[in-house]
Amino acid sequence: MKRFKLGNNLQLSQIIYGMWRLGDDSNTTPAHVQAKIEACLEQGITSFDQADIYGDYASEKLLGEALRAAPQLRERMEIITKCDIMLLSEHYPQRKVKHYDTSAEHIKASVENSLTNMAVDSIDLLLLHRPDPLMNHLETGAALDELVSSGKVRGVGVSNFKPYDWALLSSAMNTPLLTNQIELSLLHSEPLVDGTVADLQRQGLHPMAWSPLAGGALFSGDDTATATLRNALTQIAGEQSVDITAVAVAWLLKHPAGILPVMGTNNLERIRALASATRVELSREQWFILYEAARGCEVA
Amino acid sequence: MKRFKLGNNLQLSQIIYGMWRLGDDSNTTPAHVQAKIEACLEQGITSFDQADIYGDYASEKLLGEALRAAPQLRERMEIITKCDIMLLSEHYPQRKVKHYDTSAEHIKASVENSLTNMAVDSIDLLLLHRPDPLMNHLETGAALDELVSSGKVRGVGVSNFKPYDWALLSSAMNTPLLTNQIELSLLHSEPLVDGTVADLQRQGLHPMAWSPLAGGALFSGDDTATATLRNALTQIAGEQSVDITAVAVAWLLKHPAGILPVMGTNNLERIRALASATRVELSREQWFILYEAARGCEVA
Amino acid sequence: MKRFKLGNNLQLSQIIYGMWRLGDDSNTTPAHVQAKIEACLEQGITSFDQADIYGDYASEKLLGEALRAAPQLRERMEIITKCDIMLLSEHYPQRKVKHYDTSAEHIKASVENSLTNMAVDSIDLLLLHRPDPLMNHLETGAALDELVSSGKVRGVGVSNFKPYDWALLSSAMNTPLLTNQIELSLLHSEPLVDGTVADLQRQGLHPMAWSPLAGGALFSGDDTATATLRNALTQIAGEQSVDITAVAVAWLLKHPAGILPVMGTNNLERIRALASATRVELSREQWFILYEAARGCEVA
């Protein structure tokens, strides 16, 4: 499994295990969570993606229970979590509207909460989950810098930011932003051509990709374009003896920016197969065959 | 009334009185214009927004008549005006098409004209009214610089510019551009998320907002979304004993960039209430309740 | 004919003769190609635009045959060519999909091929034809730099790039990018207001315009807007005793960025008239009359 440097103090595995559905599993015992983590580690997948809000504020706690039961796992893992989305939830009955909060007060409280939930001393990578139209970049940037200098957070990044959001927050920070986790897949490939990826690539940074399988739409979509794409994926998958998931992820791995896809599944068998994407060899022509099938037309 | 620094030599009141409809009033006597100005000044509204073209080239003259009648007002005011739109008008019968003119010759002539019209020695802030696709940035930038060094204009900005228009003009000027007056309101909030405001905020600059009440659409719009928004505004207005205008403007004032809304009304009672927006306290949740009502959906 | 400097070592004539349809002519003999070149040179049109793929990989060879027959022409010409599009073609039967290739290997091979095809020792200006979503900017930039230092290419630019594509590739090059050849015409004028031209203008660079007559749509389009535009063009053309082609091109020439339109026609009479566009004087109002006719509405 390839590993990428994000800044000076952090390395992540190219494939990242996403824990947003940890609580959807019928088995949420610490032992079962531990089994999932170990299935990842055995393949070199050492990076795990969380957010305060995942599972209606429950996923971090499920990870925390597993780490309390098997504390030796922690040092073999890089843990990513996020903050700033304020979800409507029965855990916050006084909340009136879904919103964002990038105030220093909220970010710091959210990090403390995440540390407690996950039973860890520090977060390897903290991401702002969404750009906040009310962000006071000076306040937010200073809060993030402080979290890094306190050691509670080893590195900071963002998610779903556009280049100008990035430029705004960066301008107010001493700590460099390390990554931008964006929606990116064959069925959502605009960031490859709208400047979002180019802006990171220019800075030598690695984008993270959420929904690298387009939330399953690659498999279930029944329109002609998706069916054509599925056929193209199936043919390559057959040639390389992998499933089409691996080919769809390999399409992202082929990109020279060094994209880190976040893969989430609760099925242990599928977890054990996550690394297979790294063994797929796509030629440049195969990459464009998939790209054009997904776009529904050839390139200009 | 909060005041904001724009560059080293200019301070504006956060709420700016807009004079684009000065000539629409049934009473356009100098005494009545003076009464409006004094109603503003009493509330700390010291900044007044004009343009050469307002009122079909008549508004600047109405202000000028008032200032001739009451010259003591001038030193208590900051006067903003604009140039570069060439309106089809009976005052310019030879003109064949509405167009823009950012030539040095036109900008300088327009400023001279505005000085005469308004009976002032200098303009506090001159804005290019619209980005001109034929702008020769070297010529335009030099002309603006010259107007500043001559003292005829104390500061320069733009209106309706995108970040790349701004970068182009800035690159050719010694004088810094001080602000960008853009359309911004609950019903036109894209500049908050498309980089226009972020680009100013990063530079520590304050956007001005025109049509902060969406040209009245907030009040008259009868679609469901606008009705929902009006209900949300009405509820907050009731709680804080102000009218919904004040709440809609307070929504802009809450933004950390320090937005300066340009408010225009000929009604003396309403003029006397303009500052009430500054007394509204919106919580972050209330801000998002209004934002989501206006968008018609919750944030992502 | 005005000439523009692109970097320190290259000057182009403002009007460029486009050779993409050289093979569509009924007469493709070296003598006839030579006659076309000479008709250009007589008007001061010294710059000629090619691409590896033009005429299904045949146009460069037609030029090469003419230069072998009349080698004295070469030193009076600047030759532009392009690479990176991989066309589906019977010349490449093994190719499965139209795609782009910005690998060092392909770019260098493509240049060698172009040199052989055109029977020249060096290319005056090499353009990447399309932004490649798989571009490894470090590899591509180094390959382009090498081509310049080897002398095989005198200057490098791009085509159809957006500002962020440009920033990405530039960041990895020692050689400056000299131009961006974009689609630009009265019927495709967005680049004048979406930042594409502004970004070049800010850097003091001259855009090249492909399809400056909108691929003939200016003449054949039968919708109301195009008919209105044609009427406006016809009126000005009548006043200045030129054809409407010259007026449409003059509309581009009026822009302060110094746009270089690429004009392609196989008709010798029309070739002999290409320079007439440079003699058209458009006033600012005429420019906006054409702009607004093409947009279908007046400016804001």
Side-chain angles (χ1 to χ4, degrees):
Chain A
M1 176 68 52
K2 215 180 273 184
R3 295 180 69 74
F4 286 127
K5 269 188 84 166
L6 280 78
N8 296 322
N9 304 311
L10 184 62
Q11 286 201 347
L12 299 182
S13 54
Q14 182 163 24
I15 290 179
I16 293 172
Y17 182 66
M19 291 183 151
W20 73 94
R21 285 185 179 160
L22 217 48
D24 294 350
D25 201 347
S26 55
N27 183 349
T28 58
T29 60
H32 194 58
V33 171
Q34 183 180 347
K36 292 176 190 175
I37 294 171
E38 284 173 347
C40 289
L41 294 175
E42 281 159 20
Q43 302 166 83
I45 297 173
T46 61
S47 302
F48 297 82
D49 186 71
Q50 279 278 6
D52 58 340
I53 61 167
Y54 285 166
D56 191 18
Y57 296 94
S59 290
E60 285 187 338
K61 289 178 189 165
L62 292 175
L63 171 58
E65 288 165 18
L67 291 179
R68 278 189 196 92
Q72 75 283 2
L73 290 176
R74 173 64 182 103
E75 65 183 17
R76 302 170 62 195
M77 301 167 70
E78 298 85 36
I79 295 176
I80 303 154
T81 195
K82 316 189 188 75
C83 64
D84 99 2
I85 299 182
M86 312 296 271
L87 222 55
L88 286 179
S89 161
E90 57 183 23
H91 299 298
Y92 295 94
Q94 79 291 11
R95 206 169 279 168
K96 292 180 200 127
V97 66
K98 183 174 177 186
H99 63 287
Y100 306 138
D101 193 341
T102 51
S103 68
E105 186 184 353
H106 173 67
I107 290 173
K108 290 178 188 177
S110 187
V111 164
E112 292 298 336
N113 214 35
S114 291
L115 292 172
T116 307
N117 285 342
M118 299 193 287
V120 294
D121 294 327
S122 73
I123 291 159
D124 294 295
L125 180 59
L126 176 73
L127 308 181
L128 288 191
H129 209 151
R130 289 273 172 190
D132 168 16
L134 266 191
M135 180 170 75
N136 181 326
H137 61 302
L138 302 173
E139 174 182 341
T140 305
L144 294 170
D145 276 344
E146 255 186 77
L147 285 167
V148 172
S149 42
S150 75
K152 287 178 182 173
V153 160
R154 289 175 62 205
V156 171
V158 297
S159 186
N160 304 300
F161 269 44
K162 296 285 183 194
Y164 40 78
D165 301 315
W166 176 285
L168 176 59
L169 182 55
S170 284
S171 74
M173 292 180 66
N174 296 317
T175 313
L177 293 175
L178 301 180
T179 188
N180 188 4
Q181 182 175 130
I182 56 178
E183 187 178 1
L184 193 57
S185 68
L186 271 161
L187 294 183
H188 191 87
S189 63
E190 296 85 353
L192 294 183
V193 295
D194 73 1
T196 309
V197 167
D199 195 55
L200 295 166
Q201 198 177 347
R202 184 179 50 76
Q203 299 175 75
L205 300 177
H206 301 286
M208 296 174 71
W210 62 265
S211 269
L213 304 173
L218 275 174
F219 314 113
S220 57
D222 57 4
D223 53 303
T224 315
T226 310
T228 306
L229 173 58
R230 206 155 43 222
N231 285 343
L233 287 167
T234 303
Q235 187 177 332
I236 298 171
E239 289 161 15
Q240 309 212 10
S241 302
V242 291
D243 63 18
I244 67 171
T245 301
V247 181
V249 173
W251 186 83
L252 292 173
L253 301 183
K254 171 88 174 167
H255 193 278
I259 292 166
L260 300 100
V262 180
M263 310 284 299
T265 168
N266 279 315
N267 182 304
L268 264 180
E269 278 317 298
R270 288 203 205 106
I271 294 176
R272 290 194 187 103
L274 288 178
S276 62
T278 63
R279 293 187 297 269
V280 176
E281 290 289 335
L282 288 182
S283 69
R284 182 173 273 272
E285 281 203 275
Q286 285 174 318
W287 194 91
F288 276 89
I289 286 169
L290 295 173
Y291 183 51
E292 295 181 21
R295 286 165 39 108
C297 64
E298 67 176 11
V299 296
Chain B
M1 177 69 51
K2 215 179 274 185
R3 294 179 69 75
F4 286 127
K5 268 188 83 162
L6 279 77
N8 295 322
N9 304 312
L10 184 62
Q11 285 202 347
L12 300 181
S13 55
Q14 181 162 26
I15 290 179
I16 293 171
Y17 182 66
M19 291 183 152
W20 73 94
R21 285 186 178 160
L22 217 49
D24 294 349
D25 202 346
S26 56
N27 182 348
T28 58
T29 60
H32 195 59
V33 171
Q34 181 180 348
K36 292 176 190 177
I37 294 170
E38 284 173 346
C40 288
L41 294 174
E42 281 159 20
Q43 303 166 83
I45 298 173
T46 61
S47 303
F48 296 82
D49 186 71
Q50 279 276 8
D52 57 342
I53 60 168
Y54 285 166
D56 191 18
Y57 297 93
S59 290
E60 285 186 339
K61 290 178 189 164
L62 292 175
L63 171 58
E65 289 164 18
L67 291 179
R68 277 188 197 91
Q72 76 284 2
L73 290 176
R74 174 63 183 104
E75 65 182 17
R76 301 171 62 196
M77 301 167 71
E78 298 85 37
I79 296 177
I80 302 155
T81 195
K82 315 190 187 73
C83 63
D84 99 5
I85 299 182
M86 311 295 273
L87 221 54
L88 286 179
S89 161
E90 57 183 25
H91 300 297
Y92 296 94
Q94 79 290 15
R95 203 170 280 169
K96 293 179 201 129
V97 65
K98 183 175 178 185
H99 63 286
Y100 305 138
D101 193 341
T102 51
S103 68
E105 185 184 353
H106 173 68
I107 290 173
K108 290 178 190 175
S110 186
V111 164
E112 292 299 334
N113 213 35
S114 291
L115 292 171
T116 307
N117 285 342
M118 298 192 288
V120 294
D121 295 324
S122 73
I123 291 158
D124 295 293
L125 179 60
L126 176 72
L127 308 182
L128 287 191
H129 209 152
R130 289 272 173 190
D132 168 17
L134 266 190
M135 179 171 75
N136 181 327
H137 61 301
L138 302 174
E139 174 181 341
T140 306
L144 295 171
D145 276 343
E146 255 185 77
L147 285 166
V148 172
S149 42
S150 75
K152 288 179 181 172
V153 160
R154 289 177 61 206
V156 171
V158 295
S159 187
N160 303 301
F161 268 43
K162 296 286 183 193
Y164 40 78
D165 301 315
W166 176 285
L168 175 60
L169 181 55
S170 284
S171 73
M173 291 181 65
N174 296 318
T175 313
L177 292 175
L178 300 180
T179 187
N180 188 5
Q181 182 176 131
I182 55 178
E183 186 178 2
L184 191 58
S185 69
L186 270 161
L187 294 182
H188 190 86
S189 63
E190 297 85 353
L192 293 184
V193 295
D194 73 3
T196 309
V197 168
D199 195 55
L200 295 166
Q201 198 176 348
R202 183 179 51 76
Q203 298 174 76
L205 300 176
H206 301 287
M208 296 174 70
W210 62 266
S211 270
L213 304 173
L218 275 174
F219 313 114
S220 57
D222 56 4
D223 55 302
T224 315
T226 310
T228 306
L229 173 58
R230 204 155 44 221
N231 285 343
L233 287 166
T234 304
Q235 187 176 333
I236 297 170
E239 290 161 16
Q240 307 213 11
S241 302
V242 291
D243 62 20
I244 67 171
T245 301
V247 181
V249 173
W251 186 83
L252 292 173
L253 302 183
K254 171 86 174 169
H255 193 279
I259 293 167
L260 299 101
V262 179
M263 310 284 301
T265 168
N266 280 314
N267 181 305
L268 264 180
E269 278 317 298
R270 289 204 205 106
I271 294 175
R272 287 192 188 105
L274 287 178
S276 61
T278 64
R279 293 187 298 269
V280 175
E281 290 288 336
L282 288 183
S283 68
R284 181 173 275 271
E285 281 203 275
Q286 284 174 318
W287 194 90
F288 276 90
I289 286 168
L290 296 172
Y291 183 50
E292 295 181 22
R295 285 164 39 107
C297 64
E298 69 176 10
V299 296
Chain C
M1 176 71 51
K2 214 180 274 185
R3 295 180 69 75
F4 286 128
K5 268 188 84 164
L6 280 77
N8 295 322
N9 304 312
L10 184 63
Q11 284 202 348
L12 300 182
S13 55
Q14 182 161 26
I15 289 179
I16 293 172
Y17 181 65
M19 291 184 150
W20 74 94
R21 285 187 179 159
L22 217 49
D24 294 350
D25 202 346
S26 55
N27 182 348
T28 58
T29 60
H32 194 59
V33 172
Q34 181 180 349
K36 292 176 189 177
I37 294 171
E38 284 172 347
C40 288
L41 294 175
E42 281 159 19
Q43 301 167 84
I45 298 173
T46 61
S47 303
F48 296 82
D49 186 70
Q50 279 278 8
D52 57 343
I53 60 167
Y54 285 166
D56 191 18
Y57 296 95
S59 291
E60 285 186 339
K61 289 177 189 164
L62 292 175
L63 171 58
E65 287 165 19
L67 291 180
R68 276 191 197 91
Q72 75 284 4
L73 291 176
R74 173 65 183 103
E75 65 184 16
R76 302 169 63 196
M77 302 167 69
E78 298 84 36
I79 296 177
I80 302 155
T81 194
K82 316 191 188 74
C83 63
D84 98 1
I85 298 183
M86 312 295 273
L87 222 53
L88 286 179
S89 161
E90 55 183 25
H91 300 298
Y92 296 93
Q94 77 291 13
R95 206 169 277 169
K96 293 181 199 125
V97 65
K98 183 175 178 186
H99 63 286
Y100 305 138
D101 193 343
T102 51
S103 67
E105 187 184 351
H106 173 67
I107 290 173
K108 290 178 189 175
S110 187
V111 164
E112 292 300 335
N113 212 36
S114 290
L115 293 172
T116 306
N117 285 342
M118 297 192 289
V120 295
D121 295 326
S122 73
I123 291 160
D124 295 293
L125 179 60
L126 175 72
L127 308 181
L128 286 191
H129 208 151
R130 288 273 172 189
D132 168 16
L134 266 189
M135 180 171 74
N136 182 328
H137 61 302
L138 302 173
E139 175 182 340
T140 306
L144 294 170
D145 277 343
E146 256 185 76
L147 285 165
V148 173
S149 41
S150 76
K152 289 179 181 172
V153 160
R154 288 175 62 205
V156 171
V158 296
S159 185
N160 303 300
F161 268 44
K162 296 288 182 189
Y164 40 79
D165 301 315
W166 175 286
L168 176 59
L169 181 56
S170 284
S171 75
M173 292 180 65
N174 297 318
T175 314
L177 293 175
L178 300 180
T179 187
N180 188 5
Q181 181 175 131
I182 55 177
E183 186 179 1
L184 192 58
S185 69
L186 270 162
L187 293 184
H188 190 87
S189 63
E190 298 84 354
L192 293 183
V193 295
D194 73 3
T196 308
V197 167
D199 196 55
L200 295 166
Q201 198 176 348
R202 184 180 49 76
Q203 299 173 76
L205 300 176
H206 301 287
M208 296 174 70
W210 62 266
S211 269
L213 303 173
L218 274 174
F219 313 113
S220 58
D222 57 3
D223 55 302
T224 316
T226 310
T228 307
L229 174 58
R230 205 156 42 223
N231 285 343
L233 287 166
T234 303
Q235 187 176 333
I236 297 171
E239 290 161 16
Q240 308 214 10
S241 302
V242 292
D243 62 19
I244 68 171
T245 301
V247 181
V249 172
W251 186 82
L252 292 173
L253 301 182
K254 170 88 175 168
H255 193 279
I259 293 167
L260 300 101
V262 179
M263 308 285 299
T265 168
N266 279 314
N267 181 305
L268 265 179
E269 279 317 298
R270 287 202 207 108
I271 293 175
R272 288 192 188 105
L274 287 179
S276 62
T278 64
R279 293 187 297 269
V280 176
E281 290 288 335
L282 288 183
S283 69
R284 180 173 276 271
E285 280 203 275
Q286 284 174 317
W287 194 91
F288 276 90
I289 285 169
L290 296 173
Y291 183 51
E292 295 181 20
R295 285 164 40 107
C297 64
E298 68 175 10
V299 297

